[in-house]
Coordinates of all heavy atoms in Angstrom, one line a residue:
L391 N 115.3 118.0 102.6 CA 114.6 116.9 103.2 C 113.3 116.4 102.5 O 112.4 117.3 102.4 CB 114.3 117.3 104.6 CG 113.6 116.3 105.6 CD1 114.5 115.1 105.8 CD2 113.2 117.0 106.8
P392 N 113.3 115.2 102.0 CA 112.1 114.8 101.3 C 111.0 114.7 102.3 O 111.1 114.3 103.4 CB 112.5 113.4 100.8 CG 114.0 113.3 100.9 CD 114.4 114.3 102.0
V393 N 109.8 115.2 101.9 CA 108.5 115.1 102.7 C 107.5 114.3 102.0 O 107.2 114.6 100.7 CB 108.1 116.6 102.9 CG1 106.7 116.5 103.6 CG2 109.0 117.4 103.7
M394 N 106.9 113.4 102.7 CA 105.7 112.7 102.1 C 104.5 113.1 102.9 O 104.5 113.1 104.1 CB 106.0 111.1 102.3 CG 107.1 110.6 101.6 SD 107.4 108.8 101.9 CE 106.1 108.1 101.0
L395 N 103.5 113.6 102.1 CA 102.2 114.1 102.8 C 101.1 113.0 102.4 O 101.0 112.6 101.3 CB 101.8 115.4 102.2 CG 102.8 116.6 102.5 CD1 102.4 117.8 101.8 CD2 102.9 116.8 104.0
S396 N 100.4 112.7 103.5 CA 99.3 111.7 103.3 C 98.0 112.1 103.9 O 98.0 112.8 105.0 CB 99.8 110.4 103.9 OG 99.2 109.3 103.5
A397 N 96.9 111.7 103.3 CA 95.6 112.0 103.9 C 94.9 110.6 104.1 O 95.2 109.6 103.4 CB 94.8 112.7 102.9
T398 N 94.0 110.6 105.0 CA 93.2 109.5 105.3 C 91.8 109.8 104.9 O 91.1 110.7 105.4 CB 93.2 109.1 106.8 OG1 94.6 108.8 107.2 CG2 92.4 107.9 107.1
I399 N 91.3 109.0 103.9 CA 89.9 109.1 103.6 C 89.1 108.2 104.5 O 89.4 107.0 104.5 CB 89.7 108.5 102.1 CG1 90.6 109.4 101.1 CG2 88.2 108.7 101.7 CD1 90.3 110.9 101.0
V400 N 88.2 108.7 105.2 CA 87.6 108.0 106.4 C 86.5 107.0 106.0 O 86.2 106.1 106.7 CB 87.1 108.9 107.5 CG1 88.3 109.7 108.1 CG2 86.1 109.9 107.0
D401 N 85.9 107.3 104.8 CA 84.8 106.3 104.4 C 84.5 106.6 102.9 O 85.2 107.4 102.3 CB 83.5 106.4 105.2 CG 83.0 107.9 105.2 OD1 83.1 108.6 104.2 OD2 82.2 108.2 106.2
N402 N 83.5 105.9 102.4 CA 83.2 106.0 101.0 C 82.7 107.4 100.5 O 82.4 107.7 99.3 CB 82.3 104.9 100.5 CG 83.1 103.6 100.4 OD1 84.2 103.6 99.9 ND2 82.4 102.6 100.8
S403 N 82.5 108.4 101.5 CA 82.2 109.7 101.1 C 83.4 110.4 100.4 O 83.1 111.4 99.7 CB 81.7 110.5 102.3 OG 82.8 110.8 103.1
G404 N 84.5 109.9 100.6 CA 85.7 110.5 100.0 C 86.3 111.7 100.8 O 87.1 112.4 100.2
R405 N 85.9 111.8 102.0 CA 86.4 113.0 102.8 C 87.4 112.6 103.8 O 87.5 111.4 104.3 CB 85.2 113.6 103.5 CG 84.1 114.1 102.6 CD 83.5 115.4 103.0 NE 82.6 115.8 102.0 CZ 82.8 117.0 101.3 NH1 83.9 117.7 101.5 NH2 81.9 117.4 100.4
T406 N 88.3 113.5 104.1 CA 89.4 113.3 105.0 C 88.8 113.5 106.5 O 87.7 113.9 106.6 CB 90.6 114.3 104.9 OG1 90.1 115.5 105.1 CG2 91.1 114.2 103.4
L407 N 89.6 113.2 107.5 CA 89.2 113.4 108.9 C 88.8 114.9 109.1 O 87.9 115.2 109.9 CB 90.4 113.1 109.8 CG 90.7 111.6 109.9 CD1 92.0 111.4 110.6 CD2 89.6 110.8 110.6
S408 N 89.3 115.9 108.4 CA 88.9 117.2 108.5 C 87.8 117.7 107.6 O 87.4 118.8 107.7 CB 90.2 118.1 108.3 OG 90.5 118.0 106.9
G409 N 87.3 116.7 106.9 CA 86.1 117.0 106.0 C 86.5 117.4 104.6 O 85.6 117.7 103.8
Q410 N 87.8 117.5 104.3 CA 88.1 117.9 102.9 C 87.9 116.7 101.9 O 88.1 115.5 102.3 CB 89.6 118.2 102.8 CG 90.0 119.5 103.5 CD 91.5 119.7 103.5 OE1 92.3 118.8 103.8 NE2 91.9 120.9 103.0
T411 N 87.6 117.1 100.7 CA 87.6 116.1 99.5 C 89.1 115.8 99.1 O 90.0 116.6 99.6 CB 86.8 116.6 98.3 OG1 87.5 117.8 97.9 CG2 85.4 116.8 98.7
I412 N 89.4 114.9 98.4 CA 90.7 114.6 98.0 C 91.2 115.8 97.1 O 92.4 116.2 97.3 CB 90.9 113.3 97.3 CG1 92.4 112.8 97.3 CG2 90.3 113.3 95.9 CD1 92.9 112.6 98.6
E413 N 90.3 116.4 96.4 CA 90.8 117.6 95.6 C 91.2 118.8 96.5 O 92.1 119.5 96.4 CB 89.6 118.1 94.7 CG 89.3 117.1 93.6 CD 88.1 116.1 94.0 OE1 87.9 115.8 95.2 OE2 87.6 115.5 93.1
A414 N 90.4 119.0 97.6 CA 90.6 120.1 98.5 C 91.9 119.8 99.3 O 92.7 120.7 99.5 CB 89.5 120.3 99.5
F415 N 92.1 118.5 99.6 CA 93.4 118.1 100.4 C 94.5 118.5 99.5 O 95.5 119.1 99.9 CB 93.4 116.7 100.7 CG 94.8 116.1 101.0 CD1 95.3 116.5 102.2 CD2 95.4 115.3 100.2 CE1 96.6 116.0 102.5 CE2 96.6 114.8 100.4 CZ 97.3 115.2 101.6
F416 N 94.5 118.1 98.2 CA 95.7 118.4 97.3 C 95.9 119.9 97.2 O 97.0 120.3 97.2 CB 95.5 117.7 96.0 CG 96.7 117.9 95.1 CD1 97.8 117.3 95.4 CD2 96.6 118.8 94.0 CE1 99.0 117.6 94.6 CE2 97.7 119.1 93.2 CZ 98.9 118.4 93.5
I417 N 94.8 120.6 97.0 CA 95.0 122.1 96.8 C 95.6 122.6 98.1 O 96.5 123.5 97.9 CB 93.6 122.7 96.5 CG1 93.2 122.4 95.1 CG2 93.6 124.2 96.8 CD1 91.8 122.7 94.8
S418 N 95.2 122.1 99.2 CA 95.8 122.7 100.5 C 97.3 122.4 100.8 O 97.9 123.0 101.6 CB 94.9 122.3 101.7 OG 95.0 120.9 101.9
V419 N 97.7 121.3 100.0 CA 99.2 120.9 100.3 C 100.1 121.1 99.1 O 101.4 121.0 99.3 CB 99.3 119.5 100.8 CG1 98.4 119.3 102.1 CG2 98.9 118.4 99.7
K420 N 99.6 121.3 97.9 CA 100.4 121.4 96.7 C 101.6 122.4 96.8 O 102.6 122.2 96.2 CB 99.6 121.6 95.5 CG 99.0 122.9 95.3 CD 98.2 122.9 93.9 CE 97.6 124.3 93.8 NZ 96.9 124.3 92.5
H421 N 101.4 123.5 97.6 CA 102.4 124.5 97.7 C 103.7 124.0 98.4 O 104.7 124.6 98.2 CB 101.9 125.7 98.5 CG 101.7 125.3 100.0 ND1 100.5 124.7 100.5 CD2 102.5 125.5 101.1 CE1 100.7 124.5 101.7 NE2 101.8 124.9 102.1
A422 N 103.5 122.9 99.1 CA 104.7 122.2 99.8 C 105.7 121.6 98.9 O 106.8 121.2 99.4 CB 104.2 121.3 100.9
N423 N 105.3 121.3 97.7 CA 106.2 120.6 96.7 C 106.8 119.3 97.3 O 108.0 119.1 97.4 CB 107.3 121.5 96.2 CG 106.8 122.6 95.4 OD1 105.9 122.4 94.6 ND2 107.3 123.8 95.6
A424 N 105.9 118.5 97.9 CA 106.3 117.3 98.6 C 106.9 116.3 97.6 O 106.6 116.2 96.5 CB 105.1 116.6 99.3
F425 N 107.7 115.4 98.1 CA 108.3 114.3 97.4 C 107.2 113.4 96.8 O 107.3 113.0 95.7 CB 109.3 113.6 98.3 CG 110.1 112.4 97.7 CD1 110.9 112.7 96.7 CD2 109.8 111.1 98.1 CE1 111.6 111.6 96.0 CE2 110.6 110.1 97.5 CZ 111.4 110.3 96.5
T426 N 106.3 113.1 97.7 CA 105.1 112.3 97.3 C 103.9 112.9 98.1 O 104.0 113.4 99.2 CB 105.2 110.8 97.6 OG1 105.1 110.5 99.0 CG2 106.4 110.1 97.0
V427 N 102.7 112.7 97.5 CA 101.5 113.0 98.1 C 100.6 111.7 98.0 O 100.5 111.2 96.9 CB 100.7 114.2 97.5 CG1 99.4 114.5 98.1 CG2 101.6 115.5 97.6
G428 N 99.9 111.3 99.1 CA 99.2 110.1 98.9 C 98.0 109.9 99.9 O 97.6 110.9 100.6
I429 N 97.5 108.7 99.9 CA 96.4 108.3 100.8 C 96.8 107.1 101.5 O 97.4 106.2 101.0 CB 95.1 108.0 99.9 CG1 94.8 109.2 99.0 CG2 94.0 107.6 100.8 CD1 93.6 108.9 98.1
N430 N 96.4 107.1 102.8 CA 96.7 105.9 103.6 C 95.5 105.6 104.5 O 94.7 106.4 104.8 CB 97.9 106.1 104.4 CG 97.7 107.1 105.5 OD1 97.5 108.3 105.3 ND2 97.7 106.7 106.8
C431 N 95.5 104.3 105.0 CA 94.6 103.9 106.1 C 93.1 104.0 105.8 O 92.7 104.4 104.7 CB 94.9 104.6 107.4 SG 94.5 103.7 108.9
A432 N 92.3 103.6 106.8 CA 90.8 103.6 106.8 C 90.2 102.8 105.8 O 89.2 102.1 106.1 CB 90.3 105.0 106.8
L433 N 90.5 102.8 104.5 CA 89.9 101.9 103.5 C 90.8 100.9 103.0 O 92.0 101.0 103.1 CB 89.5 102.9 102.3 CG 88.5 104.0 102.6 CD1 88.4 104.9 101.4 CD2 87.2 103.5 103.2
G434 N 90.2 99.9 102.4 CA 91.0 98.9 101.7 C 91.3 99.4 100.3 O 90.8 100.4 99.8
A435 N 92.2 98.7 99.6 CA 92.6 99.0 98.3 C 91.4 99.2 97.3 O 91.4 100.1 96.5 CB 93.7 98.1 97.7
A436 N 90.5 98.3 97.4 CA 89.3 98.3 96.4 C 88.5 99.6 96.6 O 88.1 100.2 95.6 CB 88.5 97.1 96.6
Q437 N 88.3 99.9 97.9 CA 87.5 101.2 98.2 C 88.3 102.4 97.9 O 87.7 103.5 97.7 CB 87.0 101.1 99.6 CG 86.1 100.0 100.0 CD 86.9 98.7 100.4 OE1 88.1 98.7 100.7 NE2 86.2 97.5 100.4
M438 N 89.6 102.4 98.0 CA 90.5 103.5 98.0 C 90.8 104.0 96.6 O 91.1 105.1 96.3 CB 91.7 103.2 98.7 CG 92.6 104.5 99.0 SD 94.1 104.0 100.0 CE 93.5 103.9 101.6
K439 N 90.7 103.1 95.6 CA 91.2 103.3 94.2 C 90.6 104.5 93.6 O 91.4 105.3 93.0 CB 91.0 102.1 93.3 CG 91.7 102.2 92.0 CD 91.6 101.1 91.2 CE 92.2 101.3 89.8 NZ 92.0 100.1 88.9
K440 N 89.3 104.8 93.7 CA 88.8 105.9 93.0 C 89.3 107.3 93.6 O 89.5 108.2 92.7 CB 87.2 105.9 93.0 CG 86.6 106.0 94.3 CD 85.1 105.8 94.3 CE 84.5 105.8 95.7 NZ 83.1 105.4 95.6
F441 N 89.5 107.3 94.8 CA 90.0 108.6 95.4 C 91.5 108.7 95.0 O 92.0 109.8 94.7 CB 89.9 108.5 97.0 CG 88.4 108.2 97.3 CD1 88.1 107.1 98.0 CD2 87.4 109.1 97.0 CE1 86.8 106.8 98.3 CE2 86.1 108.8 97.3 CZ 85.7 107.7 98.0
Y442 N 92.3 107.6 95.0 CA 93.7 107.6 94.7 C 93.8 108.0 93.2 O 94.7 108.9 92.9 CB 94.3 106.3 94.9 CG 95.8 106.3 94.6 CD1 96.7 107.0 95.4 CD2 96.3 105.6 93.5 CE1 98.1 107.0 95.1 CE2 97.6 105.6 93.2 CZ 98.5 106.3 94.1 OH 99.9 106.3 93.7
K443 N 93.0 107.6 92.4 CA 93.0 108.0 90.9 C 92.8 109.4 90.7 O 93.5 110.1 90.0 CB 92.0 107.2 90.2 CG 91.7 107.6 88.7 CD 92.6 107.0 87.8 CE 92.3 107.3 86.3 NZ 92.5 108.6 85.8
T444 N 91.9 109.9 91.5 CA 91.7 111.4 91.5 C 92.9 112.2 91.9 O 93.3 113.2 91.2 CB 90.5 111.8 92.4 OG1 89.3 111.2 92.0 CG2 90.3 113.3 92.5
L445 N 93.5 111.7 92.9 CA 94.9 112.4 93.4 C 95.9 112.3 92.3 O 96.6 113.2 92.0 CB 95.3 111.8 94.7 CG 96.5 112.3 95.3 CD1 96.4 113.8 95.6 CD2 97.0 111.6 96.6
V446 N 96.1 111.1 91.7 CA 97.1 110.9 90.6 C 96.8 111.9 89.5 O 97.7 112.5 88.9 CB 97.1 109.4 90.1 CG1 97.9 109.3 88.9 CG2 97.6 108.5 91.2
D447 N 95.5 112.0 89.1 CA 95.1 112.9 88.1 C 95.4 114.4 88.4 O 95.8 115.2 87.5 CB 93.7 112.8 87.7 CG 93.3 111.5 87.0 OD1 94.3 110.8 86.5 OD2 92.2 111.1 87.0
L448 N 95.4 114.8 89.6 CA 95.6 116.2 90.1 C 97.1 116.4 90.2 O 97.5 117.6 90.0 CB 94.9 116.4 91.4 CG 93.5 116.4 91.4 CD1 92.9 116.4 92.9 CD2 92.9 117.7 90.7
N449 N 97.9 115.5 90.7 CA 99.3 115.7 91.1 C 100.2 115.5 90.0 O 100.3 114.4 89.5 CB 99.6 114.8 92.3 CG 100.9 115.1 92.9 OD1 101.6 116.1 92.6 ND2 101.4 114.2 93.7
P450 N 100.9 116.5 89.5 CA 101.9 116.2 88.5 C 103.2 115.5 89.0 O 104.0 115.0 88.2 CB 102.4 117.6 88.1 CG 102.1 118.5 89.2 CD 101.0 117.9 89.9
G451 N 103.3 115.3 90.3 CA 104.4 114.6 90.9 C 104.1 113.2 91.3 O 103.1 112.6 90.8
W452 N 104.9 112.6 92.1 CA 104.7 111.2 92.5 C 103.6 111.1 93.6 O 103.4 112.0 94.5 CB 106.0 110.7 93.2 CG 107.0 110.3 92.1 CD1 106.8 110.4 90.7 CD2 108.4 110.1 92.2 NE1 108.0 110.0 90.1 CE2 109.0 109.9 91.0 CE3 109.1 109.9 93.4 CZ2 110.3 109.6 90.9 CZ3 110.4 109.6 93.3 CH2 111.1 109.4 92.0
C453 N 102.9 109.9 93.6 CA 101.9 109.7 94.6 C 102.2 108.3 95.3 O 102.8 107.5 94.7 CB 100.5 109.6 93.9 SG 99.9 111.1 93.2
H454 N 101.6 108.2 96.4 CA 101.8 106.9 97.2 C 100.4 106.5 97.8 O 99.5 107.3 97.9 CB 102.8 107.1 98.4 CG 102.4 108.0 99.5 ND1 102.8 109.3 99.4 CD2 101.6 107.8 100.5 CE1 102.3 109.9 100.6 NE2 101.5 109.0 101.2
V455 N 100.3 105.2 98.0 CA 99.1 104.7 98.5 C 99.4 103.5 99.4 O 100.3 102.7 99.2 CB 98.1 104.2 97.4 CG1 98.7 103.0 96.6 CG2 96.8 103.8 98.0
Y456 N 98.8 103.6 100.7 CA 99.0 102.6 101.7 C 97.6 102.2 102.3 O 97.2 102.6 103.3 CB 99.9 103.2 102.9 CG 101.3 103.6 102.4 CD1 101.6 104.8 101.9 CD2 102.3 102.6 102.6 CE1 102.8 105.0 101.5 CE2 103.6 102.9 102.2 CZ 103.9 104.1 101.6 OH 105.1 104.4 101.2
P457 N 97.0 101.3 101.6 CA 95.6 100.9 102.1 C 95.7 99.9 103.2 O 96.7 99.2 103.4 CB 94.9 100.3 100.8 CG 96.1 99.8 99.9 CD 97.3 100.8 100.3
N458 N 94.6 99.7 103.9 CA 94.4 98.6 104.8 C 94.1 97.3 104.1 O 93.8 97.3 102.9 CB 93.2 99.0 105.7 CG 93.4 100.0 106.7 OD1 94.5 100.5 106.8 ND2 92.4 100.5 107.3
A459 N 94.0 96.3 104.8 CA 93.7 95.0 104.3 C 92.2 94.8 104.3 O 91.6 94.0 105.0 CB 94.4 93.9 105.1
G460 N 91.5 95.7 103.6 CA 90.1 95.7 103.5 C 89.5 96.6 104.6 O 90.3 97.4 105.3
L461 N 88.2 96.6 104.8 CA 87.6 97.4 105.9 C 87.6 96.6 107.2 O 87.6 95.3 107.1 CB 86.1 97.7 105.5 CG 85.9 98.6 104.3 CD1 84.5 98.6 103.9 CD2 86.5 100.0 104.5
P462 N 87.6 97.2 108.3 CA 87.6 96.5 109.5 C 86.3 95.7 109.7 O 85.3 96.1 109.3 CB 87.7 97.5 110.7 CG 88.0 98.9 110.0 CD 87.7 98.7 108.5
N463 N 86.5 94.5 110.3 CA 85.3 93.6 110.5 C 84.8 93.9 111.9 O 85.2 94.8 112.6 CB 85.7 92.1 110.4 CG 86.7 91.7 111.4 OD1 86.8 92.2 112.5 ND2 87.5 90.7 111.0
A464 N 83.7 93.2 112.2 CA 83.0 93.5 113.5 C 83.9 93.4 114.8 O 83.7 94.0 115.8 CB 81.9 92.6 113.7
M465 N 85.0 92.6 114.6 CA 85.9 92.4 115.8 C 87.1 93.3 115.7 O 88.0 93.2 116.5 CB 86.3 91.0 115.7 CG 85.2 89.9 115.9 SD 84.2 90.1 117.4 CE 85.4 89.6 118.6
G466 N 87.1 94.2 114.7 CA 88.2 95.2 114.7 C 89.5 94.6 113.9 O 90.5 95.2 113.8
G467 N 89.3 93.4 113.3 CA 90.4 92.8 112.5 C 90.1 93.1 111.0 O 89.2 93.9 110.6
Y468 N 91.0 92.5 110.2 CA 90.9 92.7 108.7 C 90.9 91.4 108.1 O 91.7 90.5 108.4 CB 92.0 93.6 108.3 CG 92.0 94.9 108.9 CD1 92.6 95.1 110.1 CD2 91.4 96.0 108.2 CE1 92.5 96.5 110.7 CE2 91.3 97.2 108.9 CZ 91.9 97.5 110.1 OH 91.8 98.7 110.7
D469 N 90.0 91.2 107.1 CA 89.7 89.9 106.5 C 90.5 89.6 105.2 O 90.5 88.5 104.7 CB 88.3 89.7 106.3 CG 87.5 89.7 107.6 OD1 88.0 89.2 108.6 OD2 86.3 90.2 107.6
E470 N 91.0 90.6 104.6 CA 91.8 90.4 103.3 C 93.1 89.7 103.6 O 93.9 90.1 104.4 CB 92.1 91.7 102.5 CG 90.9 92.3 101.9 CD 91.2 93.5 101.0 OE1 92.4 93.8 100.8 OE2 90.2 94.1 100.6
D471 N 93.3 88.6 102.9 CA 94.6 87.9 103.0 C 95.6 88.4 102.1 O 95.2 89.4 101.2 CB 94.4 86.4 102.9 CG 93.9 86.0 101.5 OD1 94.1 86.7 100.5 OD2 93.3 84.9 101.4
P472 N 96.8 88.1 102.1 CA 97.8 88.7 101.2 C 97.4 88.6 99.7 O 97.7 89.5 98.9 CB 99.1 88.0 101.5 CG 99.0 87.6 103.0 CD 97.4 87.3 103.1
E473 N 96.8 87.4 99.3 CA 96.5 87.3 97.9 C 95.4 88.3 97.5 O 95.5 88.8 96.4 CB 96.0 85.8 97.7 CG 95.7 85.6 96.3 CD 95.2 84.1 96.0 OE1 95.5 83.3 96.8 OE2 94.7 83.8 94.9
I474 N 94.4 88.5 98.2 CA 93.4 89.5 97.9 C 93.9 90.9 97.9 O 93.7 91.7 97.0 CB 92.2 89.3 98.9 CG1 91.5 88.0 98.8 CG2 91.2 90.5 98.7 CD1 90.5 87.7 99.9
F475 N 94.7 91.2 98.9 CA 95.4 92.5 99.0 C 96.3 92.8 97.7 O 96.1 93.8 97.1 CB 96.2 92.6 100.3 CG 96.8 94.0 100.5 CD1 96.0 95.0 101.0 CD2 98.2 94.2 100.2 CE1 96.6 96.2 101.2 CE2 98.7 95.5 100.5 CZ 97.9 96.5 101.0
A476 N 97.0 91.8 97.4 CA 97.9 91.9 96.2 C 97.1 92.0 94.9 O 97.4 92.8 94.0 CB 98.9 90.7 96.1
T477 N 96.1 91.3 94.8 CA 95.2 91.3 93.6 C 94.6 92.8 93.5 O 94.5 93.3 92.4 CB 94.1 90.3 93.7 OG1 94.7 89.0 93.7 CG2 93.1 90.4 92.5
N478 N 94.1 93.3 94.6 CA 93.5 94.6 94.6 C 94.6 95.7 94.2 O 94.3 96.6 93.3 CB 92.9 95.0 95.9 CG 91.6 94.3 96.2 OD1 91.0 93.8 95.3 ND2 91.3 94.1 97.4
L479 N 95.9 95.5 94.6 CA 96.8 96.5 94.2 C 97.3 96.3 92.8 O 97.9 97.2 92.2 CB 98.0 96.5 95.2 CG 97.7 97.2 96.5 CD1 98.8 96.9 97.6 CD2 97.4 98.7 96.4
Y480 N 97.3 95.0 92.4 CA 97.6 94.7 91.0 C 96.8 95.5 90.0 O 97.3 96.1 88.9 CB 97.6 93.3 90.7 CG 98.0 92.9 89.3 CD1 99.3 93.0 88.9 CD2 97.1 92.4 88.3 CE1 99.7 92.6 87.7 CE2 97.5 92.1 87.1 CZ 98.7 92.2 86.7 OH 99.2 91.9 85.5
D481 N 95.6 95.8 90.4 CA 94.7 96.6 89.5 C 95.2 98.1 89.4 O 95.1 98.6 88.4 CB 93.3 96.6 90.1 CG 92.5 95.3 89.9 OD1 92.8 94.6 88.9 OD2 91.5 95.1 90.6
Y482 N 95.8 98.6 90.4 CA 96.4 99.9 90.4 C 97.6 99.8 89.4 O 97.7 100.8 88.6 CB 96.9 100.3 91.8 CG 96.0 100.7 92.8 CD1 95.1 99.8 93.3 CD2 96.1 101.9 93.5 CE1 94.2 100.1 94.3 CE2 95.2 102.3 94.4 CZ 94.3 101.4 94.9 OH 93.4 101.8 96.0
A483 N 98.4 98.8 89.5 CA 99.6 98.7 88.6 C 99.2 98.5 87.2 O 99.8 99.2 86.3 CB 100.4 97.5 89.1
K484 N 98.2 97.8 86.9 CA 97.7 97.6 85.5 C 97.2 98.9 84.9 O 97.4 99.2 83.7 CB 96.5 96.6 85.5 CG 96.9 95.2 85.7 CD 95.8 94.2 85.3 CE 94.6 94.5 86.1 NZ 93.5 93.5 85.9
D485 N 96.7 99.8 85.8 CA 96.2 101.1 85.3 C 97.3 102.2 85.4 O 97.0 103.4 85.1 CB 95.0 101.5 86.1 CG 93.8 100.7 85.9 OD1 93.7 100.0 84.9 OD2 92.9 100.7 86.7
G486 N 98.5 101.8 85.7 CA 99.6 102.7 85.7 C 99.6 103.8 86.8 O 100.1 104.9 86.7
L487 N 99.0 103.4 87.9 CA 98.8 104.4 89.0 C 99.9 104.4 90.1 O 99.8 105.3 91.0 CB 97.4 104.2 89.6 CG 96.2 104.3 88.7 CD1 95.0 103.9 89.4 CD2 96.1 105.7 88.2
L488 N 100.8 103.4 90.1 CA 101.7 103.3 91.3 C 103.0 104.0 91.1 O 103.7 103.8 90.0 CB 101.9 101.8 91.6 CG 100.7 101.1 92.1 CD1 101.0 99.6 92.3 CD2 100.1 101.7 93.3
N489 N 103.4 104.8 92.1 CA 104.8 105.3 92.2 C 105.4 104.6 93.5 O 106.5 104.1 93.5 CB 104.8 106.7 92.4 CG 104.3 107.5 91.1 OD1 103.5 108.3 91.3 ND2 104.8 107.1 90.0
F490 N 104.6 104.7 94.6 CA 105.0 104.1 95.9 C 103.8 103.4 96.4 O 102.7 103.9 96.3 CB 105.4 105.2 96.9 CG 106.6 106.0 96.5 CD1 106.6 107.1 95.7 CD2 107.9 105.5 97.0 CE1 107.8 107.7 95.4 CE2 109.0 106.2 96.8 CZ 109.0 107.3 95.9
V491 N 104.0 102.2 97.0 CA 102.8 101.5 97.5 C 103.3 100.7 98.7 O 104.4 100.3 99.0 CB 102.3 100.4 96.5 CG1 103.4 99.4 96.1 CG2 101.0 99.8 96.9
G492 N 102.4 100.6 99.7 CA 102.7 99.8 100.9 C 101.4 99.4 101.6 O 100.3 99.5 100.9
G493 N 101.4 99.0 102.8 CA 100.2 98.6 103.4 C 100.1 99.2 104.8 O 101.0 99.5 105.4
C494 N 98.8 99.4 105.3 CA 98.6 100.0 106.6 C 97.9 98.9 107.4 O 98.4 97.8 107.4 CB 97.7 101.2 106.5 SG 97.8 102.5 107.7
C495 N 96.9 99.2 108.1 CA 96.3 98.3 109.1 C 95.9 96.9 108.5 O 95.3 96.9 107.4 CB 95.1 98.9 109.7 SG 95.3 100.6 110.5
G496 N 96.3 95.9 109.2 CA 95.9 94.6 108.8 C 96.8 93.9 107.8 O 96.5 92.8 107.3
T497 N 97.9 94.6 107.4 CA 98.7 94.0 106.3 C 100.0 93.4 106.8 O 100.8 92.9 106.0 CB 99.1 95.2 105.3 OG1 99.9 96.2 106.0 CG2 97.9 95.8 104.7
F498 N 100.1 93.3 108.1 CA 101.3 92.6 108.6 C 101.2 91.1 108.4 O 100.1 90.6 108.2 CB 101.4 92.9 110.1 CG 100.3 92.6 110.9 CD1 100.1 91.3 111.5 CD2 99.3 93.6 111.2 CE1 99.0 91.0 112.2 CE2 98.2 93.3 111.9 CZ 98.0 92.0 112.4
P499 N 102.3 90.4 108.5 CA 102.3 88.9 108.2 C 101.6 88.2 109.4 O 101.5 88.6 110.5 CB 103.8 88.6 108.2 CG 104.5 89.7 108.5 CD 103.7 90.9 108.6

């Protein structure tokens, strides 16, 4: 059964909800030999990229990324439109970082 493991980086400190860095998260799950290991939610693609790059560098397997459409605004919505979201993810592709990609909060049509 393929397993996808994902962490949420809660802010620009680079820590998960449990307080782990992305390095500590990967060390704590690498024994599972997951199909993919990745990052989702909380941050937009632009803010998430440095943490995702660290994960890609650590993980010899496949990685996934599911960012939000930017950071939440004061009303709890998301201000990135599809063009901005796609442009931000295109930077990941140009750098050869993508295996699996999707969208989380605010990325629906």
